[in-house]
Amino acid sequence: MPEAHPLSVLLVEDSPLDAELVELALRANGFELECECVDSAEAMRVALERRSWDVIVSDYRLPDFDPMEALELAHELGEDALFLIVSGTIGEEATVAALTADVRSVVLKSNLSELAPAIERELDDRDTRRGQREAERALRESEERFRRSDADLELPRKIIHPDDLPLLEETIRS
């Protein structure tokens, strides 16, 4: 049995059977789930305001709510969860539109075995993107500290004897 990986999933799904199938597919692939199922914008808003989620998995066809509205609501509330669509049927145009709108992956309900690998891949990509953003931020901060430090040293260079400059630079840096 694969090692369990914790995963919080918000399911936007109106069919209890389909929700159960999604959960079973994820558990079978080593995820230890904390899962909540919602079927309306109001219920989704409450779930998103209550806590953050690792992944939002939305059905493509809901009676009064569609995945693009769900994605927009997640973005509106500042949710950083990966957003995936699971669908019984979805056309090529709709898939392209969804992926263009920041849906991370589209998986057919007839092939739920692809859901866990898609989530794992997207989680890895998200971690890589976060690491890159953090490294870029650290680099910018370091460059700014260097520029400030260099600027701080400019004035003393003009009034300090050159033999005393290394001692002054050491004092400023510590």
Side-chain angles (χ1 to χ4, degrees):
M1 177 132 207
E3 181 183 335
H5 301 287
L7 186 71
S8 62
V9 178
L10 180 59
L11 280 172
V12 183
E13 174 64 70
D14 64 328
S15 165
L17 178 59
D18 286 349
E20 186 176 341
L21 290 173
V22 167
E23 288 185 48
L24 288 171
L26 294 175
R27 288 183 200 286
N29 281 279
F31 286 109
E32 183 181 302
L33 294 183
E34 185 175 336
C35 196
E36 182 175 338
C37 189
V38 298
D39 64 358
S40 69
E42 299 80 29
M44 183 177 174
R45 179 179 295 279
V46 168
L48 290 172
E49 288 174 343
R50 186 176 54 254
R51 61 162 298 175
S52 62
W53 301 90
D54 296 320
V55 178
I56 299 171
V57 177
S58 178
D59 187 6
Y60 184 68
R61 300 209 187 274
L62 297 166
D64 300 315
F65 192 42
D66 72 51
M68 295 301 98
E69 292 172 315
L71 178 62
E72 186 176 313
L73 179 59
H75 285 194
E76 173 189 321
L77 296 176
E79 182 62 36
D80 189 31
L82 298 173
F83 196 99
L84 291 88
I85 291 177
V86 172
S87 177
T89 58
I90 185 171
E92 187 176 322
E93 270 185 45
T95 299
V96 170
L99 294 173
T100 302
D102 202 26
V103 170
R104 304 308 302 173
S105 189
V106 176
V107 176
L108 293 176
K109 288 182 179 179
S110 61
N111 202 2
L112 283 178
S113 61
E114 290 184 8
L115 182 59
I119 289 174
E120 288 172 347
R121 182 177 55 252
E122 293 303 332
L123 288 172
D124 288 345
D125 287 352
R126 180 182 67 183
D127 291 344
T128 299
R129 286 189 306 272
R130 283 181 177 168
Q132 287 172 335
R133 283 192 307 266
E134 178 61 28
E136 289 168 359
R137 183 195 58 75
L139 178 60
R140 282 190 306 274
E141 288 176 1
S142 176
E143 288 173 342
E144 182 59 32
R145 278 193 308 273
F146 178 77
R147 278 193 291 276
R148 281 194 312 263
S149 172
D150 204 33
D152 290 344
L153 292 176
E154 288 304 316
L155 179 62
R157 288 179 198 269
K158 296 176 185 171
I159 62 174
I160 300 296
H161 191 278
D163 293 342
D164 295 333
L165 192 56
L167 179 60
L168 176 64
E169 288 174 344
E170 180 66 30
T171 302
I172 289 173
R173 286 197 174 97
S174 49

